[in-house]
PDB file of all heavy atoms in Angstrom:
ATOM      1  N   GLY A   1      10.721 -40.576 -51.639  1.00  0.00           N
ATOM      2  CA  GLY A   1      11.146 -41.784 -52.401  1.00  0.00           C
ATOM      3  C   GLY A   1      11.696 -41.364 -53.651  1.00  0.00           C
ATOM      4  O   GLY A   1      11.572 -40.165 -54.157  1.00  0.00           O
ATOM      5  N   PRO A   2      12.468 -42.305 -54.405  1.00  0.00           N
ATOM      6  CA  PRO A   2      12.907 -41.942 -55.745  1.00  0.00           C
ATOM      7  C   PRO A   2      11.964 -41.428 -56.735  1.00  0.00           C
ATOM      8  O   PRO A   2      12.338 -40.695 -57.632  1.00  0.00           O
ATOM      9  CB  PRO A   2      13.504 -43.314 -56.239  1.00  0.00           C
ATOM     10  CG  PRO A   2      13.678 -44.124 -55.001  1.00  0.00           C
ATOM     11  CD  PRO A   2      12.576 -43.651 -54.031  1.00  0.00           C
ATOM     12  N   ASP A   3      10.641 -41.795 -56.594  1.00  0.00           N
ATOM     13  CA  ASP A   3       9.645 -41.329 -57.528  1.00  0.00           C
ATOM     14  C   ASP A   3       9.069 -39.942 -57.115  1.00  0.00           C
ATOM     15  O   ASP A   3       8.143 -39.457 -57.755  1.00  0.00           O
ATOM     16  CB  ASP A   3       8.549 -42.307 -57.709  1.00  0.00           C
ATOM     17  CG  ASP A   3       7.763 -42.555 -56.341  1.00  0.00           C
ATOM     18  OD1 ASP A   3       8.229 -42.041 -55.318  1.00  0.00           O
ATOM     19  OD2 ASP A   3       6.728 -43.285 -56.418  1.00  0.00           O
ATOM     20  N   GLY A   4       9.625 -39.346 -56.071  1.00  0.00           N
ATOM     21  CA  GLY A   4       9.167 -38.025 -55.659  1.00  0.00           C
ATOM     22  C   GLY A   4       8.045 -38.084 -54.616  1.00  0.00           C
ATOM     23  O   GLY A   4       7.531 -37.034 -54.190  1.00  0.00           O
ATOM     24  N   THR A   5       7.630 -39.307 -54.165  1.00  0.00           N
ATOM     25  CA  THR A   5       6.575 -39.422 -53.199  1.00  0.00           C
ATOM     26  C   THR A   5       7.078 -38.958 -51.798  1.00  0.00           C
ATOM     27  O   THR A   5       8.154 -39.435 -51.391  1.00  0.00           O
ATOM     28  CB  THR A   5       6.083 -40.837 -53.112  1.00  0.00           C
ATOM     29  OG1 THR A   5       5.567 -41.247 -54.374  1.00  0.00           O
ATOM     30  CG2 THR A   5       4.908 -41.011 -52.055  1.00  0.00           C
ATOM     31  N   LEU A   6       6.244 -38.176 -51.111  1.00  0.00           N
ATOM     32  CA  LEU A   6       6.677 -37.728 -49.776  1.00  0.00           C
ATOM     33  C   LEU A   6       6.469 -38.904 -48.832  1.00  0.00           C
ATOM     34  O   LEU A   6       5.394 -39.415 -48.696  1.00  0.00           O
ATOM     35  CB  LEU A   6       5.876 -36.568 -49.333  1.00  0.00           C
ATOM     36  CG  LEU A   6       6.163 -35.947 -47.947  1.00  0.00           C
ATOM     37  CD1 LEU A   6       7.574 -35.375 -47.928  1.00  0.00           C
ATOM     38  CD2 LEU A   6       5.125 -34.992 -47.523  1.00  0.00           C
ATOM     39  N   LEU A   7       7.511 -39.335 -48.134  1.00  0.00           N
ATOM     40  CA  LEU A   7       7.489 -40.435 -47.206  1.00  0.00           C
ATOM     41  C   LEU A   7       7.523 -40.014 -45.759  1.00  0.00           C
ATOM     42  O   LEU A   7       6.972 -40.731 -44.837  1.00  0.00           O
ATOM     43  CB  LEU A   7       8.608 -41.381 -47.486  1.00  0.00           C
ATOM     44  CG  LEU A   7       8.806 -41.913 -48.892  1.00  0.00           C
ATOM     45  CD1 LEU A   7      10.067 -42.770 -48.982  1.00  0.00           C
ATOM     46  CD2 LEU A   7       7.576 -42.739 -49.264  1.00  0.00           C
ATOM     47  N   TRP A   8       8.150 -38.857 -45.447  1.00  0.00           N
ATOM     48  CA  TRP A   8       8.359 -38.436 -44.122  1.00  0.00           C
ATOM     49  C   TRP A   8       8.491 -36.912 -44.044  1.00  0.00           C
ATOM     50  O   TRP A   8       9.150 -36.345 -44.982  1.00  0.00           O
ATOM     51  CB  TRP A   8       9.547 -39.162 -43.552  1.00  0.00           C
ATOM     52  CG  TRP A   8       9.890 -38.926 -42.086  1.00  0.00           C
ATOM     53  CD1 TRP A   8       9.506 -39.632 -41.072  1.00  0.00           C
ATOM     54  CD2 TRP A   8      10.779 -37.878 -41.632  1.00  0.00           C
ATOM     55  NE1 TRP A   8      10.134 -39.096 -39.869  1.00  0.00           N
ATOM     56  CE2 TRP A   8      10.866 -38.060 -40.248  1.00  0.00           C
ATOM     57  CE3 TRP A   8      11.475 -36.828 -42.223  1.00  0.00           C
ATOM     58  CZ2 TRP A   8      11.618 -37.232 -39.399  1.00  0.00           C
ATOM     59  CZ3 TRP A   8      12.266 -36.012 -41.349  1.00  0.00           C
ATOM     60  CH2 TRP A   8      12.347 -36.193 -40.018  1.00  0.00           C
ATOM     61  N   ASP A   9       7.954 -36.279 -43.056  1.00  0.00           N
ATOM     62  CA  ASP A   9       7.936 -34.841 -43.021  1.00  0.00           C
ATOM     63  C   ASP A   9       8.082 -34.363 -41.561  1.00  0.00           C
ATOM     64  O   ASP A   9       7.390 -34.881 -40.657  1.00  0.00           O
ATOM     65  CB  ASP A   9       6.667 -34.269 -43.627  1.00  0.00           C
ATOM     66  CG  ASP A   9       6.782 -32.951 -44.267  1.00  0.00           C
ATOM     67  OD1 ASP A   9       7.927 -32.657 -44.792  1.00  0.00           O
ATOM     68  OD2 ASP A   9       5.833 -32.134 -44.306  1.00  0.00           O
ATOM     69  N   ALA A  10       9.000 -33.396 -41.330  1.00  0.00           N
ATOM     70  CA  ALA A  10       9.186 -32.835 -40.058  1.00  0.00           C
ATOM     71  C   ALA A  10       8.949 -31.305 -40.165  1.00  0.00           C
ATOM     72  O   ALA A  10       9.454 -30.628 -41.111  1.00  0.00           O
ATOM     73  CB  ALA A  10      10.510 -33.090 -39.503  1.00  0.00           C
ATOM     74  N   GLU A  11       8.219 -30.736 -39.279  1.00  0.00           N
ATOM     75  CA  GLU A  11       7.898 -29.339 -39.270  1.00  0.00           C
ATOM     76  C   GLU A  11       8.330 -28.698 -37.877  1.00  0.00           C
ATOM     77  O   GLU A  11       8.028 -29.092 -36.875  1.00  0.00           O
ATOM     78  CB  GLU A  11       6.394 -29.058 -39.379  1.00  0.00           C
ATOM     79  CG  GLU A  11       5.982 -27.650 -39.369  1.00  0.00           C
ATOM     80  CD  GLU A  11       4.471 -27.420 -39.422  1.00  0.00           C
ATOM     81  OE1 GLU A  11       3.739 -28.476 -39.495  1.00  0.00           O
ATOM     82  OE2 GLU A  11       3.984 -26.278 -39.454  1.00  0.00           O
ATOM     83  N   LEU A  12       9.197 -27.700 -38.065  1.00  0.00           N
ATOM     84  CA  LEU A  12       9.584 -26.934 -36.902  1.00  0.00           C
ATOM     85  C   LEU A  12       8.617 -25.856 -36.554  1.00  0.00           C
ATOM     86  O   LEU A  12       7.763 -25.496 -37.422  1.00  0.00           O
ATOM     87  CB  LEU A  12      10.957 -26.207 -37.277  1.00  0.00           C
ATOM     88  CG  LEU A  12      12.192 -27.101 -37.347  1.00  0.00           C
ATOM     89  CD1 LEU A  12      13.311 -26.417 -38.102  1.00  0.00           C
ATOM     90  CD2 LEU A  12      12.639 -27.490 -35.926  1.00  0.00           C
ATOM     91  N   PRO A  13       8.576 -25.322 -35.418  1.00  0.00           N
ATOM     92  CA  PRO A  13       7.680 -24.215 -35.087  1.00  0.00           C
ATOM     93  C   PRO A  13       7.900 -23.002 -35.991  1.00  0.00           C
ATOM     94  O   PRO A  13       8.943 -22.752 -36.567  1.00  0.00           O
ATOM     95  CB  PRO A  13       8.023 -23.801 -33.618  1.00  0.00           C
ATOM     96  CG  PRO A  13       8.679 -25.073 -33.111  1.00  0.00           C
ATOM     97  CD  PRO A  13       9.395 -25.657 -34.259  1.00  0.00           C
ATOM     98  N   PRO A  14       6.870 -22.150 -36.233  1.00  0.00           N
ATOM     99  CA  PRO A  14       6.975 -21.043 -37.132  1.00  0.00           C
ATOM    100  C   PRO A  14       8.135 -20.166 -36.658  1.00  0.00           C
ATOM    101  O   PRO A  14       8.455 -20.014 -35.467  1.00  0.00           O
ATOM    102  CB  PRO A  14       5.614 -20.288 -36.947  1.00  0.00           C
ATOM    103  CG  PRO A  14       4.674 -21.356 -36.425  1.00  0.00           C
ATOM    104  CD  PRO A  14       5.551 -22.318 -35.670  1.00  0.00           C
ATOM    105  N   HIS A  15       8.768 -19.561 -37.593  1.00  0.00           N
ATOM    106  CA  HIS A  15       9.906 -18.615 -37.473  1.00  0.00           C
ATOM    107  C   HIS A  15      11.194 -19.240 -37.037  1.00  0.00           C
ATOM    108  O   HIS A  15      12.175 -18.556 -36.756  1.00  0.00           O
ATOM    109  CB  HIS A  15       9.450 -17.501 -36.434  1.00  0.00           C
ATOM    110  CG  HIS A  15       8.135 -16.867 -36.619  1.00  0.00           C
ATOM    111  ND1 HIS A  15       7.863 -16.248 -37.830  1.00  0.00           N
ATOM    112  CD2 HIS A  15       7.047 -16.873 -35.872  1.00  0.00           C
ATOM    113  CE1 HIS A  15       6.633 -15.737 -37.735  1.00  0.00           C
ATOM    114  NE2 HIS A  15       6.110 -16.152 -36.594  1.00  0.00           N
ATOM    115  N   LEU A  16      11.221 -20.537 -37.024  1.00  0.00           N
ATOM    116  CA  LEU A  16      12.469 -21.259 -36.858  1.00  0.00           C
ATOM    117  C   LEU A  16      12.974 -21.859 -38.162  1.00  0.00           C
ATOM    118  O   LEU A  16      12.205 -22.001 -39.122  1.00  0.00           O
ATOM    119  CB  LEU A  16      12.369 -22.402 -35.811  1.00  0.00           C
ATOM    120  CG  LEU A  16      12.719 -22.043 -34.380  1.00  0.00           C
ATOM    121  CD1 LEU A  16      11.638 -21.183 -33.786  1.00  0.00           C
ATOM    122  CD2 LEU A  16      12.955 -23.222 -33.552  1.00  0.00           C
ATOM    123  N   TYR A  17      14.277 -22.100 -38.264  1.00  0.00           N
ATOM    124  CA  TYR A  17      14.819 -22.638 -39.540  1.00  0.00           C
ATOM    125  C   TYR A  17      16.068 -23.432 -39.173  1.00  0.00           C
ATOM    126  O   TYR A  17      16.575 -23.349 -38.065  1.00  0.00           O
ATOM    127  CB  TYR A  17      15.169 -21.469 -40.447  1.00  0.00           C
ATOM    128  CG  TYR A  17      15.830 -20.310 -39.796  1.00  0.00           C
ATOM    129  CD1 TYR A  17      17.201 -20.424 -39.391  1.00  0.00           C
ATOM    130  CD2 TYR A  17      15.261 -19.138 -39.605  1.00  0.00           C
ATOM    131  CE1 TYR A  17      17.851 -19.364 -38.759  1.00  0.00           C
ATOM    132  CE2 TYR A  17      15.827 -18.020 -39.008  1.00  0.00           C
ATOM    133  CZ  TYR A  17      17.162 -18.119 -38.595  1.00  0.00           C
ATOM    134  OH  TYR A  17      17.813 -17.180 -37.974  1.00  0.00           O
ATOM    135  N   THR A  18      16.558 -24.171 -40.121  1.00  0.00           N
ATOM    136  CA  THR A  18      17.792 -24.865 -39.916  1.00  0.00           C
ATOM    137  C   THR A  18      18.515 -24.729 -41.251  1.00  0.00           C
ATOM    138  O   THR A  18      18.003 -24.929 -42.363  1.00  0.00           O
ATOM    139  CB  THR A  18      17.609 -26.391 -39.548  1.00  0.00           C
ATOM    140  OG1 THR A  18      18.912 -26.966 -39.346  1.00  0.00           O
ATOM    141  CG2 THR A  18      16.884 -27.166 -40.653  1.00  0.00           C
ATOM    142  N   TYR A  19      19.819 -24.286 -41.229  1.00  0.00           N
ATOM    143  CA  TYR A  19      20.569 -23.969 -42.407  1.00  0.00           C
ATOM    144  C   TYR A  19      20.657 -25.268 -43.307  1.00  0.00           C
ATOM    145  O   TYR A  19      20.392 -25.165 -44.470  1.00  0.00           O
ATOM    146  CB  TYR A  19      21.947 -23.478 -42.090  1.00  0.00           C
ATOM    147  CG  TYR A  19      22.846 -23.275 -43.222  1.00  0.00           C
ATOM    148  CD1 TYR A  19      22.540 -22.246 -44.196  1.00  0.00           C
ATOM    149  CD2 TYR A  19      23.933 -24.060 -43.475  1.00  0.00           C
ATOM    150  CE1 TYR A  19      23.389 -22.130 -45.260  1.00  0.00           C
ATOM    151  CE2 TYR A  19      24.769 -23.859 -44.557  1.00  0.00           C
ATOM    152  CZ  TYR A  19      24.432 -22.862 -45.449  1.00  0.00           C
ATOM    153  OH  TYR A  19      25.266 -22.590 -46.595  1.00  0.00           O
ATOM    154  N   ARG A  20      21.033 -26.396 -42.735  1.00  0.00           N
ATOM    155  CA  ARG A  20      21.072 -27.649 -43.453  1.00  0.00           C
ATOM    156  C   ARG A  20      20.489 -28.730 -42.544  1.00  0.00           C
ATOM    157  O   ARG A  20      20.497 -28.624 -41.332  1.00  0.00           O
ATOM    158  CB  ARG A  20      22.505 -28.005 -43.838  1.00  0.00           C
ATOM    159  CG  ARG A  20      23.031 -27.283 -45.055  1.00  0.00           C
ATOM    160  CD  ARG A  20      24.451 -27.756 -45.449  1.00  0.00           C
ATOM    161  NE  ARG A  20      24.873 -26.970 -46.535  1.00  0.00           N
ATOM    162  CZ  ARG A  20      26.247 -26.727 -46.770  1.00  0.00           C
ATOM    163  NH1 ARG A  20      27.130 -27.221 -45.987  1.00  0.00           N
ATOM    164  NH2 ARG A  20      26.573 -25.988 -47.768  1.00  0.00           N
ATOM    165  N   ALA A  21      20.041 -29.768 -43.229  1.00  0.00           N
ATOM    166  CA  ALA A  21      19.582 -30.943 -42.497  1.00  0.00           C
ATOM    167  C   ALA A  21      20.288 -32.129 -43.107  1.00  0.00           C
ATOM    168  O   ALA A  21      20.432 -32.253 -44.359  1.00  0.00           O
ATOM    169  CB  ALA A  21      18.057 -31.132 -42.638  1.00  0.00           C
ATOM    170  N   ARG A  22      20.712 -33.113 -42.275  1.00  0.00           N
ATOM    171  CA  ARG A  22      21.343 -34.315 -42.759  1.00  0.00           C
ATOM    172  C   ARG A  22      20.793 -35.501 -41.948  1.00  0.00           C
ATOM    173  O   ARG A  22      20.405 -35.363 -40.790  1.00  0.00           O
ATOM    174  CB  ARG A  22      22.825 -34.261 -42.537  1.00  0.00           C
ATOM    175  CG  ARG A  22      23.631 -33.254 -43.366  1.00  0.00           C
ATOM    176  CD  ARG A  22      23.654 -33.691 -44.834  1.00  0.00           C
ATOM    177  NE  ARG A  22      24.506 -32.889 -45.692  1.00  0.00           N
ATOM    178  CZ  ARG A  22      24.123 -31.902 -46.451  1.00  0.00           C
ATOM    179  NH1 ARG A  22      22.777 -31.727 -46.540  1.00  0.00           N
ATOM    180  NH2 ARG A  22      24.940 -31.222 -47.177  1.00  0.00           N
ATOM    181  N   ARG A  23      20.663 -36.679 -42.651  1.00  0.00           N
ATOM    182  CA  ARG A  23      20.353 -37.880 -41.919  1.00  0.00           C
ATOM    183  C   ARG A  23      21.516 -38.786 -41.977  1.00  0.00           C
ATOM    184  O   ARG A  23      22.157 -38.977 -43.022  1.00  0.00           O
ATOM    185  CB  ARG A  23      19.178 -38.582 -42.527  1.00  0.00           C
ATOM    186  CG  ARG A  23      18.649 -39.727 -41.694  1.00  0.00           C
ATOM    187  CD  ARG A  23      17.470 -40.451 -42.265  1.00  0.00           C
ATOM    188  NE  ARG A  23      16.310 -39.692 -42.424  1.00  0.00           N
ATOM    189  CZ  ARG A  23      15.516 -39.261 -41.443  1.00  0.00           C
ATOM    190  NH1 ARG A  23      15.814 -39.509 -40.230  1.00  0.00           N
ATOM    191  NH2 ARG A  23      14.423 -38.548 -41.679  1.00  0.00           N
ATOM    192  N   SER A  24      21.879 -39.436 -40.829  1.00  0.00           N
ATOM    193  CA  SER A  24      23.017 -40.330 -40.833  1.00  0.00           C
ATOM    194  C   SER A  24      22.890 -41.307 -39.624  1.00  0.00           C
ATOM    195  O   SER A  24      22.196 -41.063 -38.599  1.00  0.00           O
ATOM    196  CB  SER A  24      24.322 -39.526 -40.594  1.00  0.00           C
ATOM    197  OG  SER A  24      25.469 -40.319 -40.580  1.00  0.00           O
ATOM    198  N   SER A  25      23.520 -42.448 -39.719  1.00  0.00           N
ATOM    199  CA  SER A  25      23.603 -43.376 -38.535  1.00  0.00           C
ATOM    200  C   SER A  25      24.537 -42.768 -37.550  1.00  0.00           C
ATOM    201  O   SER A  25      25.591 -42.116 -37.930  1.00  0.00           O
ATOM    202  CB  SER A  25      24.081 -44.789 -39.076  1.00  0.00           C
ATOM    203  OG  SER A  25      25.403 -44.649 -39.684  1.00  0.00           O
ATOM    204  N   TRP A  26      24.250 -42.920 -36.302  1.00  0.00           N
ATOM    205  CA  TRP A  26      25.111 -42.394 -35.206  1.00  0.00           C
ATOM    206  C   TRP A  26      24.949 -43.261 -34.029  1.00  0.00           C
ATOM    207  O   TRP A  26      23.792 -43.540 -33.582  1.00  0.00           O
ATOM    208  CB  TRP A  26      24.746 -40.986 -34.957  1.00  0.00           C
ATOM    209  CG  TRP A  26      25.437 -40.343 -33.816  1.00  0.00           C
ATOM    210  CD1 TRP A  26      24.908 -39.927 -32.590  1.00  0.00           C
ATOM    211  CD2 TRP A  26      26.837 -40.015 -33.647  1.00  0.00           C
ATOM    212  NE1 TRP A  26      25.835 -39.401 -31.797  1.00  0.00           N
ATOM    213  CE2 TRP A  26      27.060 -39.444 -32.431  1.00  0.00           C
ATOM    214  CE3 TRP A  26      27.908 -40.265 -34.531  1.00  0.00           C
ATOM    215  CZ2 TRP A  26      28.335 -39.082 -31.978  1.00  0.00           C
ATOM    216  CZ3 TRP A  26      29.190 -39.878 -34.106  1.00  0.00           C
ATOM    217  CH2 TRP A  26      29.387 -39.240 -32.851  1.00  0.00           C
ATOM    218  N   VAL A  27      26.080 -43.680 -33.502  1.00  0.00           N
ATOM    219  CA  VAL A  27      26.061 -44.566 -32.266  1.00  0.00           C
ATOM    220  C   VAL A  27      26.921 -43.801 -31.253  1.00  0.00           C
ATOM    221  O   VAL A  27      28.052 -43.448 -31.506  1.00  0.00           O
ATOM    222  CB  VAL A  27      26.712 -45.971 -32.558  1.00  0.00           C
ATOM    223  CG1 VAL A  27      26.737 -46.747 -31.278  1.00  0.00           C
ATOM    224  CG2 VAL A  27      25.858 -46.693 -33.589  1.00  0.00           C
ATOM    225  N   ALA A  28      26.328 -43.603 -29.992  1.00  0.00           N
ATOM    226  CA  ALA A  28      27.019 -42.859 -29.012  1.00  0.00           C
ATOM    227  C   ALA A  28      26.651 -43.325 -27.646  1.00  0.00           C
ATOM    228  O   ALA A  28      25.556 -43.739 -27.344  1.00  0.00           O
ATOM    229  CB  ALA A  28      26.670 -41.400 -29.158  1.00  0.00           C
TER     230      ALA A  28
END
């Protein structure tokens, strides 16, 4: 949130990574 409160958290398995993460609306 704008005040720095953690609202949502996703954890990948150990030793994995993602260069960037983005959130967006998507209809398909």
